[in-house]
Amino acid sequence: MFAAALVGGALAAPIAASAQDSIPQVTLADALRRATRLDPDYVRALGQIDNAEWGRKAARLAFVVPALTAELDATRYSTEFFNIGTGEPTASSVNATLTARYELLSVRKLTDLRATTAELENAQSTGMQQRFRTAFLVESDFYGVLADQALLTVATDRVRRAEEQLAVARARVISGAAVQTDSLQLVLEVTRARIDLTRQSAALRVAQLQLGRRVGESGAVAAEAADTVPPAELPVTLPAAVQEALQQGPQYRAARANERAAAAVLRGRRGEYLPTLTLSGTNTTFDTRFFPKARNVSALTLTVSLPVWDLGVREAGITAARVDRDVSRAVREDLERGARRDVTEAYDAYGTAQATIALSRSALAAAAENFRVQDARYRSGATTILELLDAQISLTQAQADLVQANYATRLALAGLEVILGRRLFPSGGAQ
């Protein structure tokens, strides 16, 4: 049983290492570049920006370009009639009509321009917010792979240490310096360590497959190790971060733009009570064949229309627009009230993770020294196997805690950048 445990543990690490060597690697910058072309939400956000830009162009063109309509129709009648184009009886008629229509005075044109401008700003802010959200998801998957890769190394070291201790315990039991339960305790530790190694290998495979999906690969992708430079202090204070989020944060800008768009739509609906002044021109050509040219008739019409009653459709539209405006306002006010809370949470999460790194380094140094002392004492017979196992578990936990703290800091930074809508470290090790 002891031999099987030793052989199995010795083979586990080389097999895992060889499997990792065959997986393609990707840097964080490359992962971000590739993911932005593939994330459905980001692609949808870019499409909404294109739609909003064309909506604003159409609203602007309505002030300078009339609406044009061209028609061409041919009709065959069962009996002859007087054709205005030829001036004689005929059973066929071909007409070509070109109509230009321009609204000289319309409240809707003004409100449409304001609404489309606000919708474009909303789409642009939403696109920026989605870009940072996509980056956050990519960084989360990327750092998740790095963390699992580091935790796999921790699990491998635990197996190695447990096997070395088992060999020492067996030698001490054979020599009579220790009881047989010492080796049994270490057999149990080797088994637990190998189980943990197996689980960590499975978790790493899943994380690498998720990263591969994120960057457009059908298989697993490994993450290229990031820098190990300790994270820097944030270049902005908490009050300044709150103010910046309110002024430039994508979600807050999008909420304000959405409210302005809803308000403009409401004004346009209310403007339907006012008359509309329209100038239209028509040119019609009559004949009995293609292309008609027998007679040409032109008309210029100035129309003033005043809607009086449309069975409540106008009033229902005004009510719906007012509800949309009120909802948009409530959403914007709620976001602004929660800005301090959201920014503080992300800001403090970064500070907490940063402080945790320093504490985790100290804890790891203490755990490593404690394990070294306990291992030496056990080899000399000055301590028990339980104290050695406790030191071994503490060392493994300290290593895992440091790994988690390192990548928790980077994720906390990415979360704060999503709220602020900008990179806090455009260059340098911390980014």
Side-chain angles (χ1 to χ4, degrees), residues 196-332:
D196 183 65
L197 178 61
T198 302
R199 290 174 176 171
Q200 190 56 50
S201 298
L204 177 59
R205 279 197 302 274
V206 173
Q208 289 173 336
L209 287 171
Q210 173 61 22
L211 180 60
R213 171 193 175 187
R214 189 72 67 184
V215 299
E217 295 289 341
S218 58
V221 173
E224 186 174 315
D227 60 85
T228 57
V229 177
E233 294 289 340
L234 290 175
V236 61
T237 63
L238 178 56
V242 174
Q243 188 66 24
E244 181 177 342
L246 287 171
Q247 293 178 352
Q248 301 297 330
Q251 60 178 337
Y252 306 102
R253 291 175 55 191
R256 289 193 294 269
N258 193 44
E259 182 185 4
R260 288 197 300 272
V265 171
L266 177 59
R267 286 192 293 269
R269 289 291 187 177
R270 289 172 175 171
E272 294 177 3
Y273 285 103
L274 301 176
T276 301
L277 183 62
T278 305
L279 179 65
S280 58
T282 304
N283 184 78
T284 305
T285 305
F286 305 91
D287 208 335
T288 58
R289 59 184 179 179
F290 291 100
F291 184 82
K293 57 182 179 180
R295 188 169 186 177
N296 192 312
V297 178
S298 299
L300 184 63
T301 306
L302 181 64
T303 305
V304 179
S305 62
L306 178 63
V308 179
W309 176 246
D310 59 356
L311 301 179
V313 174
R314 175 178 53 193
E315 285 69 22
I318 292 175
T319 300
R322 184 173 59 250
V323 171
D324 290 341
R325 191 273 315 273
D326 293 343
V327 171
S328 301
R329 177 180 297 171
V331 170
R332 189 262 305 165

Side-chain angles (χ1 to χ4, degrees), residues 76-240:
R76 180 74 179 178
Y77 297 93
S78 59
T79 60
E80 293 184 347
F81 74 103
F82 182 78
N83 191 311
I84 191 176
T86 60
E88 59 185 23
T90 180
S92 62
S93 173
V94 177
N95 303 326
T97 304
L98 178 64
T99 303
R101 185 174 182 274
Y102 181 77
E103 292 183 346
L104 296 175
L105 178 62
S106 174
V107 176
R108 181 181 54 81
K109 291 171 62 175
L110 296 174
T111 57
D112 285 351
L113 181 60
R114 294 177 182 176
T116 54
T117 300
E119 288 171 358
L120 176 59
E121 184 180 351
N122 180 20
Q124 290 173 339
S125 300
T126 302
M128 179 181 294
Q129 182 183 13
Q130 187 56 53
R131 183 178 67 186
F132 276 93
R133 284 180 176 174
T134 300
F136 176 82
L137 294 175
V138 174
E139 291 182 59
S140 178
D141 292 337
F142 186 87
Y143 294 137
V145 171
L146 285 180
D148 284 333
Q149 290 173 177
L151 290 174
L152 181 65
T153 302
V154 172
T156 303
D157 289 343
R158 179 184 177 184
V159 171
R160 176 186 55 78
R161 287 192 297 266
E163 290 173 347
E164 291 175 354
Q165 294 160 8
L166 177 59
V168 173
R170 288 185 60 203
R172 296 191 70 231
V173 169
I174 293 174
S175 66
V179 295
Q180 190 174 3
T181 54
D182 283 12
S183 58
L184 294 177
Q185 290 280 357
L186 285 169
V187 167
L188 181 60
E189 170 61 16
V190 169
T191 303
R192 290 173 176 170
R194 293 184 61 192
I195 291 174
D196 183 65
L197 178 61
T198 302
R199 290 174 176 171
Q200 190 56 50
S201 298
L204 177 59
R205 279 197 302 274
V206 173
Q208 289 173 336
L209 287 171
Q210 173 61 22
L211 180 60
R213 171 193 175 187
R214 189 72 67 184
V215 299
E217 295 289 341
S218 58
V221 173
E224 186 174 315
D227 60 85
T228 57
V229 177
E233 294 289 340
L234 290 175
V236 61
T237 63
L238 178 56

